[in-house]
Amino acid sequence: QAQLVESGGDSVEPGGSLRLSCVASGHPPNTNAMGWFRRAIGKEREGVAAFYIGETDRPRYADSVRGRFTISRDAAKNMYYLQMDSLKPEDTAMYYCATGRVGDWWYLLQTALYNTWGQGTQVTVSS
């Protein structure tokens, strides 16, 4: 059974950096995409960064994080990462990694297309 486990969440000051990790133990059939999502208190879950597992050089980022966050993969270790720099208080949220099947690149951040989720890791940005 496919499983995703996140780690790396912490409390940091504005301007700081964190690297989230996600270890994947297998993927369901037809899985082709991996993404990072977040849910802040009182808000809906939103896509942050995602890519096709076999084409990691074409990631898609939410406008709010582009230029500050970087998604990557270590295929040999079955690990995915989200490097977060220049963190802002509005980045505070529970962060999840997820895998699924996505057709068009424009839909990479659509939460409804992902069917395997981790348990989440909390990121708090505060002075």
Side-chain angles (χ1 to χ4, degrees), residues 4 9-10 18 35-36 38 41 52 57 64 67 73 76 92 97 99 114 126:
L4 300 171
D10 205 344
L18 281 175
W36 287 94
R38 67 186 181 187
I41 293 175
Y52 293 111
D57 60 344
S64 59
R73 177 192 185 200
T92 296
C97 61
T99 57
Y114 291 78
S126 173

Side-chain angles (χ1 to χ4, degrees), residues 9-27:
D10 205 344
S11 294
V12 296
E13 294 186 348
S17 296
L18 281 175
R19 188 177 80 156
L20 304 183
S21 300
C22 173
V23 58
S25 57
H27 291 302

Side-chain angles (χ1 to χ4, degrees), residues 14 27 53 61 94 101:
H27 291 302
I53 293 172
Y61 294 98
M94 184 72 80
R101 181 158 186 85

Side-chain angles (χ1 to χ4, degrees), residues 9 15-16 41 43 51 53 57 69 71 73 81 87 92 100 102 105-106 108 112 117 119-120:
I41 293 175
K43 295 186 178 181
F51 53 28
I53 293 172
D57 60 344
F69 290 12
I71 187 173
R73 177 192 185 200
Y81 304 99
L87 282 162
T92 296
V102 178
W105 181 85
W106 290 103
L108 273 171
W117 294 81
Q119 83 289 347

Side-chain angles (χ1 to χ4, degrees), residues 84-98:
M84 306 187 295
D85 299 316
S86 302
L87 282 162
K88 304 175 181 180
E90 51 263 43
D91 295 319
T92 296
M94 184 72 80
Y95 283 72
Y96 303 86
C97 61

